[in-house]
Amino acid sequence: MNDFVIFTDSGCDISEELLAAWGVQCEYLTFRFYDSEKEYQGNEMPSAEFFAKMRAGGIAKTAAVNNEQFAAAFSRVLDEGKDVLYIGLSSGISNTFNAGRIAAEECAEKYPDRKVIAVDSLSASSGLGLLVYLATEKKKEGSGVEEVAAFVTETRTSLSHWFTVDDLVYLKRGGRVSSTAAFVGNLLGIKPVMHVDNEGKLIPMMKVRGRKNALAELAKQYKQTAVKPATGHVYICQADCKSEAEDLARMLREQNGVEVELITDISPVIGAHAGPGTIALFFVANHR
């Protein structure tokens, strides 16, 4: 059985250090603010600094990884005689996966003796991150690249994403809500609870009034749909609101007896669309 390397992209919202500890290589999306020509890779600006700029009125634009960047990264591993498995940010929200898929196909032709597989995670943020972690666990158990790819494909629509945002203006900019809905919603303290569907697209699920109620709804969704017994693989991702993320973790512990395994930062490339104050919960569920 040939050795293989798992790749992902910075849409996974897992730190560079932790990915390295998992043995995962990462390619980075980029972003820039509209009032500047400087382009940053997803790991070049601390999340706290990025969200401070957003709170001050900055508007960021993101760009996908291109297939040439992926092909160069894959080739370095293939030249070492190893296979490649790329698990990418949902094609429902980014062109990044398609760039990785094209690169994988090109590399497969160039290296006919190697396996180069790209799997659309249909996931985002630390939902993608959790899926990547589960893939690394399968690899540690001795599964080969094709087995792990099949596992990811089978598991991806059981990886549940639930999140809420604090300010509707960022969803308005992305075309998720109208200007009127954003204005009225913010005025009334409406907090949308959103989800990622089986096509990997963001969809609104419900509207609740007040931040505490929104967090309580996330915890409720865990209770209703999480695979039992709890695996312990529960992640929370937060955009410059760590104390509230810890509040959600406490709710999950008190109501469901589950310990959150990881609280991580939402990266600039995801946060540019969701905005500061976003909190997301990820776990393995009976269904999305």
Side-chain angles (χ1 to χ4, degrees), residues 7-15 19 25-31 40-43 63-65 69-70 86-89 96 124-126 128-129 265-271:
F7 279 81
T8 190
D9 55 64
S10 58
C12 70
D13 285 348
I14 300 294
S15 71
L19 287 173
Q25 295 192 26
C26 184
E27 294 303 308
Y28 287 86
L29 289 82
T30 60
F31 69 91
Y40 297 86
Q41 279 200 338
N43 60 339
V65 183
Q69 181 180 338
F70 275 123
Y86 166 57
I87 308 170
L89 178 62
T96 294
S125 187
S126 293
L128 167 56
D265 295 335
I266 290 178
S267 67
V269 295
I270 299 293

PDB file of all heavy atoms in Angstrom, residues 7-15 19 25-31 40-43 63-65 69-70 86-89 96 124-126 128-129 265-271:
ATOM      1  N   PHE A   7      -4.477  16.555   1.728  1.00  0.00           N
ATOM      2  CA  PHE A   7      -4.460  17.998   1.527  1.00  0.00           C
ATOM      3  C   PHE A   7      -5.836  18.565   1.857  1.00  0.00           C
ATOM      4  O   PHE A   7      -6.862  17.900   1.685  1.00  0.00           O
ATOM      5  CB  PHE A   7      -4.168  18.348   0.065  1.00  0.00           C
ATOM      6  CG  PHE A   7      -2.727  18.309  -0.331  1.00  0.00           C
ATOM      7  CD1 PHE A   7      -2.122  17.103  -0.639  1.00  0.00           C
ATOM      8  CD2 PHE A   7      -1.974  19.474  -0.399  1.00  0.00           C
ATOM      9  CE1 PHE A   7      -0.793  17.052  -1.024  1.00  0.00           C
ATOM     10  CE2 PHE A   7      -0.649  19.447  -0.781  1.00  0.00           C
ATOM     11  CZ  PHE A   7      -0.049  18.235  -1.091  1.00  0.00           C
ATOM     12  N   THR A   8      -5.857  19.815   2.286  1.00  0.00           N
ATOM     13  CA  THR A   8      -7.098  20.567   2.374  1.00  0.00           C
ATOM     14  C   THR A   8      -6.800  22.012   1.980  1.00  0.00           C
ATOM     15  O   THR A   8      -5.738  22.303   1.438  1.00  0.00           O
ATOM     16  CB  THR A   8      -7.724  20.459   3.788  1.00  0.00           C
ATOM     17  OG1 THR A   8      -9.042  21.007   3.758  1.00  0.00           O
ATOM     18  CG2 THR A   8      -6.891  21.177   4.829  1.00  0.00           C
ATOM     19  N   ASP A   9      -7.737  22.908   2.238  1.00  0.00           N
ATOM     20  CA  ASP A   9      -7.502  24.324   1.971  1.00  0.00           C
ATOM     21  C   ASP A   9      -7.924  25.129   3.193  1.00  0.00           C
ATOM     22  O   ASP A   9      -8.494  24.587   4.149  1.00  0.00           O
ATOM     23  CB  ASP A   9      -8.254  24.771   0.712  1.00  0.00           C
ATOM     24  CG  ASP A   9      -9.743  24.469   0.783  1.00  0.00           C
ATOM     25  OD1 ASP A   9     -10.416  25.038   1.662  1.00  0.00           O
ATOM     26  OD2 ASP A   9     -10.231  23.660  -0.033  1.00  0.00           O
ATOM     27  N   SER A  10      -7.632  26.417   3.158  1.00  0.00           N
ATOM     28  CA  SER A  10      -7.834  27.228   4.361  1.00  0.00           C
ATOM     29  C   SER A  10      -9.293  27.516   4.655  1.00  0.00           C
ATOM     30  O   SER A  10      -9.611  28.144   5.666  1.00  0.00           O
ATOM     31  CB  SER A  10      -7.054  28.547   4.263  1.00  0.00           C
ATOM     32  OG  SER A  10      -7.431  29.294   3.123  1.00  0.00           O
ATOM     33  N   GLY A  11     -10.208  27.014   3.825  1.00  0.00           N
ATOM     34  CA  GLY A  11     -11.612  27.063   4.175  1.00  0.00           C
ATOM     35  C   GLY A  11     -11.960  26.175   5.354  1.00  0.00           C
ATOM     36  O   GLY A  11     -13.090  26.201   5.848  1.00  0.00           O
ATOM     37  N   CYS A  12     -10.990  25.386   5.853  1.00  0.00           N
ATOM     38  CA  CYS A  12     -11.247  24.454   6.950  1.00  0.00           C
ATOM     39  C   CYS A  12     -11.210  25.121   8.323  1.00  0.00           C
ATOM     40  O   CYS A  12     -11.642  24.519   9.314  1.00  0.00           O
ATOM     41  CB  CYS A  12     -10.250  23.303   6.917  1.00  0.00           C
ATOM     42  SG  CYS A  12      -8.549  23.774   7.350  1.00  0.00           S
ATOM     43  N   ASP A  13     -10.685  26.323   8.421  1.00  0.00           N
ATOM     44  CA  ASP A  13     -10.617  27.053   9.698  1.00  0.00           C
ATOM     45  C   ASP A  13      -9.949  26.250  10.812  1.00  0.00           C
ATOM     46  O   ASP A  13     -10.379  26.266  11.973  1.00  0.00           O
ATOM     47  CB  ASP A  13     -12.007  27.512  10.138  1.00  0.00           C
ATOM     48  CG  ASP A  13     -12.507  28.704   9.340  1.00  0.00           C
ATOM     49  OD1 ASP A  13     -11.693  29.306   8.612  1.00  0.00           O
ATOM     50  OD2 ASP A  13     -13.700  29.038   9.439  1.00  0.00           O
ATOM     51  N   ILE A  14      -8.882  25.555  10.451  1.00  0.00           N
ATOM     52  CA  ILE A  14      -8.030  24.869  11.420  1.00  0.00           C
ATOM     53  C   ILE A  14      -6.653  25.511  11.325  1.00  0.00           C
ATOM     54  O   ILE A  14      -6.167  25.789  10.234  1.00  0.00           O
ATOM     55  CB  ILE A  14      -7.930  23.358  11.117  1.00  0.00           C
ATOM     56  CG1 ILE A  14      -9.313  22.709  11.171  1.00  0.00           C
ATOM     57  CG2 ILE A  14      -6.971  22.676  12.094  1.00  0.00           C
ATOM     58  CD1 ILE A  14      -9.979  22.698  12.529  1.00  0.00           C
ATOM     59  N   SER A  15      -6.033  25.752  12.464  1.00  0.00           N
ATOM     60  CA  SER A  15      -4.761  26.466  12.467  1.00  0.00           C
ATOM     61  C   SER A  15      -3.680  25.700  11.720  1.00  0.00           C
ATOM     62  O   SER A  15      -3.711  24.465  11.623  1.00  0.00           O
ATOM     63  CB  SER A  15      -4.293  26.723  13.902  1.00  0.00           C
ATOM     64  OG  SER A  15      -3.874  25.512  14.519  1.00  0.00           O
ATOM     65  N   LEU A  19      -2.986  21.589  11.785  1.00  0.00           N
ATOM     66  CA  LEU A  19      -2.954  20.798  10.547  1.00  0.00           C
ATOM     67  C   LEU A  19      -1.616  20.080  10.410  1.00  0.00           C
ATOM     68  O   LEU A  19      -1.565  18.910  10.009  1.00  0.00           O
ATOM     69  CB  LEU A  19      -3.205  21.692   9.339  1.00  0.00           C
ATOM     70  CG  LEU A  19      -4.636  22.200   9.139  1.00  0.00           C
ATOM     71  CD1 LEU A  19      -4.681  23.202   7.996  1.00  0.00           C
ATOM     72  CD2 LEU A  19      -5.605  21.052   8.884  1.00  0.00           C
ATOM     73  N   GLN A  25      -1.471  18.813   4.688  1.00  0.00           N
ATOM     74  CA  GLN A  25      -0.958  19.986   3.987  1.00  0.00           C
ATOM     75  C   GLN A  25      -2.122  20.860   3.536  1.00  0.00           C
ATOM     76  O   GLN A  25      -3.204  20.360   3.227  1.00  0.00           O
ATOM     77  CB  GLN A  25      -0.086  19.569   2.803  1.00  0.00           C
ATOM     78  CG  GLN A  25       1.174  18.834   3.236  1.00  0.00           C
ATOM     79  CD  GLN A  25       2.188  18.678   2.115  1.00  0.00           C
ATOM     80  OE1 GLN A  25       2.228  19.474   1.169  1.00  0.00           O
ATOM     81  NE2 GLN A  25       3.028  17.674   2.218  1.00  0.00           N
ATOM     82  N   CYS A  26      -1.884  22.162   3.503  1.00  0.00           N
ATOM     83  CA  CYS A  26      -2.961  23.113   3.253  1.00  0.00           C
ATOM     84  C   CYS A  26      -2.554  24.146   2.210  1.00  0.00           C
ATOM     85  O   CYS A  26      -1.424  24.658   2.237  1.00  0.00           O
ATOM     86  CB  CYS A  26      -3.311  23.828   4.565  1.00  0.00           C
ATOM     87  SG  CYS A  26      -4.705  24.967   4.466  1.00  0.00           S
ATOM     88  N   GLU A  27      -3.478  24.438   1.300  1.00  0.00           N
ATOM     89  CA  GLU A  27      -3.307  25.538   0.361  1.00  0.00           C
ATOM     90  C   GLU A  27      -4.269  26.658   0.767  1.00  0.00           C
ATOM     91  O   GLU A  27      -5.397  26.393   1.186  1.00  0.00           O
ATOM     92  CB  GLU A  27      -3.571  25.083  -1.063  1.00  0.00           C
ATOM     93  CG  GLU A  27      -2.550  24.069  -1.572  1.00  0.00           C
ATOM     94  CD  GLU A  27      -1.118  24.601  -1.486  1.00  0.00           C
ATOM     95  OE1 GLU A  27      -0.873  25.719  -1.995  1.00  0.00           O
ATOM     96  OE2 GLU A  27      -0.259  23.900  -0.917  1.00  0.00           O
ATOM     97  N   TYR A  28      -3.817  27.901   0.603  1.00  0.00           N
ATOM     98  CA  TYR A  28      -4.527  29.027   1.192  1.00  0.00           C
ATOM     99  C   TYR A  28      -5.246  29.894   0.166  1.00  0.00           C
ATOM    100  O   TYR A  28      -4.658  30.321  -0.826  1.00  0.00           O
ATOM    101  CB  TYR A  28      -3.543  29.889   2.004  1.00  0.00           C
ATOM    102  CG  TYR A  28      -3.145  29.193   3.285  1.00  0.00           C
ATOM    103  CD1 TYR A  28      -2.090  28.289   3.301  1.00  0.00           C
ATOM    104  CD2 TYR A  28      -3.855  29.406   4.464  1.00  0.00           C
ATOM    105  CE1 TYR A  28      -1.751  27.616   4.464  1.00  0.00           C
ATOM    106  CE2 TYR A  28      -3.521  28.747   5.629  1.00  0.00           C
ATOM    107  CZ  TYR A  28      -2.476  27.853   5.624  1.00  0.00           C
ATOM    108  OH  TYR A  28      -2.154  27.183   6.778  1.00  0.00           O
ATOM    109  N   LEU A  29      -6.529  30.124   0.444  1.00  0.00           N
ATOM    110  CA  LEU A  29      -7.264  31.156  -0.274  1.00  0.00           C
ATOM    111  C   LEU A  29      -6.668  32.509   0.117  1.00  0.00           C
ATOM    112  O   LEU A  29      -5.947  32.619   1.106  1.00  0.00           O
ATOM    113  CB  LEU A  29      -8.748  31.120   0.079  1.00  0.00           C
ATOM    114  CG  LEU A  29      -9.582  29.946  -0.453  1.00  0.00           C
ATOM    115  CD1 LEU A  29      -9.429  28.720   0.425  1.00  0.00           C
ATOM    116  CD2 LEU A  29     -11.049  30.326  -0.566  1.00  0.00           C
ATOM    117  N   THR A  30      -7.002  33.544  -0.642  1.00  0.00           N
ATOM    118  CA  THR A  30      -6.477  34.868  -0.357  1.00  0.00           C
ATOM    119  C   THR A  30      -7.621  35.864  -0.151  1.00  0.00           C
ATOM    120  O   THR A  30      -8.774  35.594  -0.481  1.00  0.00           O
ATOM    121  CB  THR A  30      -5.585  35.366  -1.511  1.00  0.00           C
ATOM    122  OG1 THR A  30      -6.355  35.415  -2.715  1.00  0.00           O
ATOM    123  CG2 THR A  30      -4.388  34.442  -1.709  1.00  0.00           C
ATOM    124  N   PHE A  31      -7.262  37.017   0.410  1.00  0.00           N
ATOM    125  CA  PHE A  31      -8.251  38.079   0.594  1.00  0.00           C
ATOM    126  C   PHE A  31      -7.545  39.424   0.567  1.00  0.00           C
ATOM    127  O   PHE A  31      -6.327  39.525   0.755  1.00  0.00           O
ATOM    128  CB  PHE A  31      -9.005  37.904   1.926  1.00  0.00           C
ATOM    129  CG  PHE A  31      -8.154  38.145   3.150  1.00  0.00           C
ATOM    130  CD1 PHE A  31      -8.067  39.397   3.733  1.00  0.00           C
ATOM    131  CD2 PHE A  31      -7.429  37.111   3.720  1.00  0.00           C
ATOM    132  CE1 PHE A  31      -7.279  39.620   4.852  1.00  0.00           C
ATOM    133  CE2 PHE A  31      -6.640  37.313   4.841  1.00  0.00           C
ATOM    134  CZ  PHE A  31      -6.568  38.579   5.408  1.00  0.00           C
ATOM    135  N   TYR A  40      -3.571  39.194   0.904  1.00  0.00           N
ATOM    136  CA  TYR A  40      -3.074  38.347   1.986  1.00  0.00           C
ATOM    137  C   TYR A  40      -3.471  36.902   1.730  1.00  0.00           C
ATOM    138  O   TYR A  40      -4.575  36.623   1.259  1.00  0.00           O
ATOM    139  CB  TYR A  40      -3.688  38.756   3.330  1.00  0.00           C
ATOM    140  CG  TYR A  40      -3.362  40.145   3.807  1.00  0.00           C
ATOM    141  CD1 TYR A  40      -4.127  41.230   3.399  1.00  0.00           C
ATOM    142  CD2 TYR A  40      -2.306  40.367   4.685  1.00  0.00           C
ATOM    143  CE1 TYR A  40      -3.855  42.520   3.849  1.00  0.00           C
ATOM    144  CE2 TYR A  40      -2.028  41.648   5.151  1.00  0.00           C
ATOM    145  CZ  TYR A  40      -2.803  42.716   4.717  1.00  0.00           C
ATOM    146  OH  TYR A  40      -2.528  43.985   5.178  1.00  0.00           O
ATOM    147  N   GLN A  41      -2.562  35.983   2.089  1.00  0.00           N
ATOM    148  CA  GLN A  41      -2.987  34.597   2.190  1.00  0.00           C
ATOM    149  C   GLN A  41      -3.815  34.454   3.452  1.00  0.00           C
ATOM    150  O   GLN A  41      -3.711  35.259   4.379  1.00  0.00           O
ATOM    151  CB  GLN A  41      -1.785  33.659   2.240  1.00  0.00           C
ATOM    152  CG  GLN A  41      -1.173  33.363   0.883  1.00  0.00           C
ATOM    153  CD  GLN A  41      -0.331  32.104   0.894  1.00  0.00           C
ATOM    154  OE1 GLN A  41       0.136  31.656   1.931  1.00  0.00           O
ATOM    155  NE2 GLN A  41      -0.114  31.536  -0.278  1.00  0.00           N
ATOM    156  N   GLY A  42      -4.610  33.388   3.496  1.00  0.00           N
ATOM    157  CA  GLY A  42      -5.536  33.209   4.602  1.00  0.00           C
ATOM    158  C   GLY A  42      -4.899  33.113   5.963  1.00  0.00           C
ATOM    159  O   GLY A  42      -5.565  33.291   6.983  1.00  0.00           O
ATOM    160  N   ASN A  43      -3.601  32.831   6.042  1.00  0.00           N
ATOM    161  CA  ASN A  43      -2.934  32.690   7.333  1.00  0.00           C
ATOM    162  C   ASN A  43      -2.009  33.864   7.661  1.00  0.00           C
ATOM    163  O   ASN A  43      -1.252  33.798   8.630  1.00  0.00           O
ATOM    164  CB  ASN A  43      -2.119  31.395   7.361  1.00  0.00           C
ATOM    165  CG  ASN A  43      -1.032  31.353   6.283  1.00  0.00           C
ATOM    166  OD1 ASN A  43      -1.105  32.065   5.283  1.00  0.00           O
ATOM    167  ND2 ASN A  43      -0.040  30.510   6.475  1.00  0.00           N
ATOM    168  N   ALA A  63     -10.539  35.353  -2.657  1.00  0.00           N
ATOM    169  CA  ALA A  63     -10.254  34.708  -3.940  1.00  0.00           C
ATOM    170  C   ALA A  63      -9.892  33.254  -3.710  1.00  0.00           C
ATOM    171  O   ALA A  63      -9.183  32.911  -2.756  1.00  0.00           O
ATOM    172  CB  ALA A  63      -9.115  35.421  -4.661  1.00  0.00           C
ATOM    173  N   ALA A  64     -10.376  32.383  -4.591  1.00  0.00           N
ATOM    174  CA  ALA A  64     -10.130  30.945  -4.479  1.00  0.00           C
ATOM    175  C   ALA A  64      -8.675  30.618  -4.804  1.00  0.00           C
ATOM    176  O   ALA A  64      -7.960  31.394  -5.453  1.00  0.00           O
ATOM    177  CB  ALA A  64     -11.055  30.191  -5.431  1.00  0.00           C
ATOM    178  N   VAL A  65      -8.244  29.447  -4.347  1.00  0.00           N
ATOM    179  CA  VAL A  65      -6.959  28.905  -4.783  1.00  0.00           C
ATOM    180  C   VAL A  65      -7.089  28.525  -6.255  1.00  0.00           C
ATOM    181  O   VAL A  65      -8.129  28.008  -6.679  1.00  0.00           O
ATOM    182  CB  VAL A  65      -6.601  27.653  -3.952  1.00  0.00           C
ATOM    183  CG1 VAL A  65      -5.225  27.127  -4.347  1.00  0.00           C
ATOM    184  CG2 VAL A  65      -6.643  27.965  -2.459  1.00  0.00           C
ATOM    185  N   GLN A  69      -1.687  26.473  -8.473  1.00  0.00           N
ATOM    186  CA  GLN A  69      -1.156  26.381  -7.111  1.00  0.00           C
ATOM    187  C   GLN A  69      -1.357  24.976  -6.555  1.00  0.00           C
ATOM    188  O   GLN A  69      -0.451  24.397  -5.948  1.00  0.00           O
ATOM    189  CB  GLN A  69      -1.852  27.416  -6.220  1.00  0.00           C
ATOM    190  CG  GLN A  69      -1.369  27.441  -4.772  1.00  0.00           C
ATOM    191  CD  GLN A  69      -2.098  28.497  -3.955  1.00  0.00           C
ATOM    192  OE1 GLN A  69      -2.646  29.453  -4.500  1.00  0.00           O
ATOM    193  NE2 GLN A  69      -2.113  28.325  -2.644  1.00  0.00           N
ATOM    194  N   PHE A  70      -2.555  24.425  -6.769  1.00  0.00           N
ATOM    195  CA  PHE A  70      -2.796  23.060  -6.312  1.00  0.00           C
ATOM    196  C   PHE A  70      -1.873  22.074  -7.024  1.00  0.00           C
ATOM    197  O   PHE A  70      -1.295  21.176  -6.398  1.00  0.00           O
ATOM    198  CB  PHE A  70      -4.253  22.670  -6.576  1.00  0.00           C
ATOM    199  CG  PHE A  70      -5.217  23.079  -5.507  1.00  0.00           C
ATOM    200  CD1 PHE A  70      -6.304  23.879  -5.816  1.00  0.00           C
ATOM    201  CD2 PHE A  70      -5.060  22.653  -4.199  1.00  0.00           C
ATOM    202  CE1 PHE A  70      -7.219  24.243  -4.838  1.00  0.00           C
ATOM    203  CE2 PHE A  70      -5.970  23.007  -3.215  1.00  0.00           C
ATOM    204  CZ  PHE A  70      -7.047  23.806  -3.533  1.00  0.00           C
ATOM    205  N   TYR A  86      -7.084  15.122  -1.750  1.00  0.00           N
ATOM    206  CA  TYR A  86      -7.476  16.496  -1.447  1.00  0.00           C
ATOM    207  C   TYR A  86      -8.930  16.533  -1.024  1.00  0.00           C
ATOM    208  O   TYR A  86      -9.811  16.059  -1.748  1.00  0.00           O
ATOM    209  CB  TYR A  86      -7.248  17.398  -2.672  1.00  0.00           C
ATOM    210  CG  TYR A  86      -7.943  18.739  -2.557  1.00  0.00           C
ATOM    211  CD1 TYR A  86      -7.689  19.589  -1.491  1.00  0.00           C
ATOM    212  CD2 TYR A  86      -8.871  19.142  -3.528  1.00  0.00           C
ATOM    213  CE1 TYR A  86      -8.340  20.820  -1.378  1.00  0.00           C
ATOM    214  CE2 TYR A  86      -9.516  20.364  -3.429  1.00  0.00           C
ATOM    215  CZ  TYR A  86      -9.252  21.193  -2.348  1.00  0.00           C
ATOM    216  OH  TYR A  86      -9.900  22.410  -2.234  1.00  0.00           O
ATOM    217  N   ILE A  87      -9.197  17.083   0.159  1.00  0.00           N
ATOM    218  CA  ILE A  87     -10.553  17.247   0.689  1.00  0.00           C
ATOM    219  C   ILE A  87     -10.813  18.746   0.741  1.00  0.00           C
ATOM    220  O   ILE A  87     -10.184  19.466   1.524  1.00  0.00           O
ATOM    221  CB  ILE A  87     -10.687  16.612   2.084  1.00  0.00           C
ATOM    222  CG1 ILE A  87     -10.203  15.161   2.071  1.00  0.00           C
ATOM    223  CG2 ILE A  87     -12.134  16.699   2.567  1.00  0.00           C
ATOM    224  CD1 ILE A  87     -10.068  14.544   3.456  1.00  0.00           C
ATOM    225  N   GLY A  88     -11.710  19.231  -0.117  1.00  0.00           N
ATOM    226  CA  GLY A  88     -11.807  20.664  -0.337  1.00  0.00           C
ATOM    227  C   GLY A  88     -13.073  21.322   0.172  1.00  0.00           C
ATOM    228  O   GLY A  88     -14.110  20.682   0.392  1.00  0.00           O
ATOM    229  N   LEU A  89     -12.978  22.633   0.341  1.00  0.00           N
ATOM    230  CA  LEU A  89     -14.100  23.490   0.710  1.00  0.00           C
ATOM    231  C   LEU A  89     -15.263  23.273  -0.249  1.00  0.00           C
ATOM    232  O   LEU A  89     -15.079  23.153  -1.453  1.00  0.00           O
ATOM    233  CB  LEU A  89     -13.645  24.949   0.665  1.00  0.00           C
ATOM    234  CG  LEU A  89     -14.667  26.047   0.963  1.00  0.00           C
ATOM    235  CD1 LEU A  89     -15.210  25.925   2.379  1.00  0.00           C
ATOM    236  CD2 LEU A  89     -14.012  27.426   0.758  1.00  0.00           C
ATOM    237  N   THR A  96     -12.938  26.966  -5.114  1.00  0.00           N
ATOM    238  CA  THR A  96     -11.661  26.369  -4.732  1.00  0.00           C
ATOM    239  C   THR A  96     -11.632  24.870  -5.009  1.00  0.00           C
ATOM    240  O   THR A  96     -10.645  24.351  -5.548  1.00  0.00           O
ATOM    241  CB  THR A  96     -11.361  26.646  -3.251  1.00  0.00           C
ATOM    242  OG1 THR A  96     -11.171  28.058  -3.075  1.00  0.00           O
ATOM    243  CG2 THR A  96     -10.098  25.936  -2.792  1.00  0.00           C
ATOM    244  N   ALA A 124     -17.878  23.340   5.179  1.00  0.00           N
ATOM    245  CA  ALA A 124     -17.155  24.606   5.278  1.00  0.00           C
ATOM    246  C   ALA A 124     -16.682  24.832   6.698  1.00  0.00           C
ATOM    247  O   ALA A 124     -17.164  24.200   7.641  1.00  0.00           O
ATOM    248  CB  ALA A 124     -18.054  25.762   4.837  1.00  0.00           C
ATOM    249  N   SER A 125     -15.734  25.757   6.826  1.00  0.00           N
ATOM    250  CA  SER A 125     -15.198  26.135   8.120  1.00  0.00           C
ATOM    251  C   SER A 125     -14.750  24.875   8.865  1.00  0.00           C
ATOM    252  O   SER A 125     -14.238  23.940   8.258  1.00  0.00           O
ATOM    253  CB  SER A 125     -16.233  26.960   8.895  1.00  0.00           C
ATOM    254  OG  SER A 125     -15.687  27.486  10.095  1.00  0.00           O
ATOM    255  N   SER A 126     -14.934  24.833  10.164  1.00  0.00           N
ATOM    256  CA  SER A 126     -14.432  23.683  10.921  1.00  0.00           C
ATOM    257  C   SER A 126     -15.272  22.432  10.724  1.00  0.00           C
ATOM    258  O   SER A 126     -14.943  21.376  11.263  1.00  0.00           O
ATOM    259  CB  SER A 126     -14.331  24.039  12.403  1.00  0.00           C
ATOM    260  OG  SER A 126     -13.336  25.012  12.592  1.00  0.00           O
ATOM    261  N   LEU A 128     -15.534  21.300   7.606  1.00  0.00           N
ATOM    262  CA  LEU A 128     -14.498  20.729   6.754  1.00  0.00           C
ATOM    263  C   LEU A 128     -13.330  20.258   7.607  1.00  0.00           C
ATOM    264  O   LEU A 128     -12.786  19.170   7.403  1.00  0.00           O
ATOM    265  CB  LEU A 128     -14.043  21.759   5.721  1.00  0.00           C
ATOM    266  CG  LEU A 128     -12.759  21.465   4.941  1.00  0.00           C
ATOM    267  CD1 LEU A 128     -12.830  20.135   4.216  1.00  0.00           C
ATOM    268  CD2 LEU A 128     -12.462  22.605   3.967  1.00  0.00           C
ATOM    269  N   GLY A 129     -12.956  21.079   8.590  1.00  0.00           N
ATOM    270  CA  GLY A 129     -11.840  20.714   9.463  1.00  0.00           C
ATOM    271  C   GLY A 129     -12.079  19.413  10.203  1.00  0.00           C
ATOM    272  O   GLY A 129     -11.183  18.560  10.301  1.00  0.00           O
ATOM    273  N   ASP A 265     -10.745  29.589  15.588  1.00  0.00           N
ATOM    274  CA  ASP A 265     -11.083  30.893  15.012  1.00  0.00           C
ATOM    275  C   ASP A 265     -11.611  30.732  13.593  1.00  0.00           C
ATOM    276  O   ASP A 265     -11.062  29.969  12.792  1.00  0.00           O
ATOM    277  CB  ASP A 265      -9.844  31.794  14.956  1.00  0.00           C
ATOM    278  CG  ASP A 265      -9.306  32.147  16.331  1.00  0.00           C
ATOM    279  OD1 ASP A 265     -10.089  32.130  17.295  1.00  0.00           O
ATOM    280  OD2 ASP A 265      -8.093  32.426  16.434  1.00  0.00           O
ATOM    281  N   ILE A 266     -12.655  31.464  13.280  1.00  0.00           N
ATOM    282  CA  ILE A 266     -13.074  31.584  11.890  1.00  0.00           C
ATOM    283  C   ILE A 266     -12.031  32.414  11.156  1.00  0.00           C
ATOM    284  O   ILE A 266     -11.628  33.473  11.608  1.00  0.00           O
ATOM    285  CB  ILE A 266     -14.464  32.227  11.793  1.00  0.00           C
ATOM    286  CG1 ILE A 266     -15.529  31.256  12.311  1.00  0.00           C
ATOM    287  CG2 ILE A 266     -14.784  32.642  10.356  1.00  0.00           C
ATOM    288  CD1 ILE A 266     -16.932  31.804  12.306  1.00  0.00           C
ATOM    289  N   SER A 267     -11.566  31.924  10.035  1.00  0.00           N
ATOM    290  CA  SER A 267     -10.500  32.585   9.297  1.00  0.00           C
ATOM    291  C   SER A 267     -11.043  33.772   8.504  1.00  0.00           C
ATOM    292  O   SER A 267     -12.247  33.878   8.261  1.00  0.00           O
ATOM    293  CB  SER A 267      -9.853  31.594   8.323  1.00  0.00           C
ATOM    294  OG  SER A 267     -10.790  31.242   7.310  1.00  0.00           O
ATOM    295  N   PRO A 268     -10.153  34.656   8.057  1.00  0.00           N
ATOM    296  CA  PRO A 268     -10.604  35.782   7.243  1.00  0.00           C
ATOM    297  C   PRO A 268     -11.384  35.381   5.995  1.00  0.00           C
ATOM    298  O   PRO A 268     -12.354  36.044   5.639  1.00  0.00           O
ATOM    299  CB  PRO A 268      -9.296  36.488   6.883  1.00  0.00           C
ATOM    300  CG  PRO A 268      -8.415  36.243   8.067  1.00  0.00           C
ATOM    301  CD  PRO A 268      -8.732  34.826   8.466  1.00  0.00           C
ATOM    302  N   VAL A 269     -10.994  34.278   5.327  1.00  0.00           N
ATOM    303  CA  VAL A 269     -11.669  33.953   4.071  1.00  0.00           C
ATOM    304  C   VAL A 269     -13.109  33.483   4.295  1.00  0.00           C
ATOM    305  O   VAL A 269     -13.963  33.654   3.426  1.00  0.00           O
ATOM    306  CB  VAL A 269     -10.889  32.904   3.245  1.00  0.00           C
ATOM    307  CG1 VAL A 269      -9.549  33.479   2.796  1.00  0.00           C
ATOM    308  CG2 VAL A 269     -10.694  31.610   4.005  1.00  0.00           C
ATOM    309  N   ILE A 270     -13.397  32.904   5.440  1.00  0.00           N
ATOM    310  CA  ILE A 270     -14.781  32.573   5.786  1.00  0.00           C
ATOM    311  C   ILE A 270     -15.441  33.773   6.455  1.00  0.00           C
ATOM    312  O   ILE A 270     -16.587  34.136   6.154  1.00  0.00           O
ATOM    313  CB  ILE A 270     -14.843  31.348   6.715  1.00  0.00           C
ATOM    314  CG1 ILE A 270     -14.252  30.103   6.032  1.00  0.00           C
ATOM    315  CG2 ILE A 270     -16.275  31.087   7.162  1.00  0.00           C
ATOM    316  CD1 ILE A 270     -15.045  29.598   4.850  1.00  0.00           C
ATOM    317  N   GLY A 271     -14.704  34.425   7.337  1.00  0.00           N
ATOM    318  CA  GLY A 271     -15.249  35.548   8.091  1.00  0.00           C
ATOM    319  C   GLY A 271     -15.613  36.749   7.240  1.00  0.00           C
ATOM    320  O   GLY A 271     -16.485  37.540   7.607  1.00  0.00           O
TER     321      GLY A 271
END
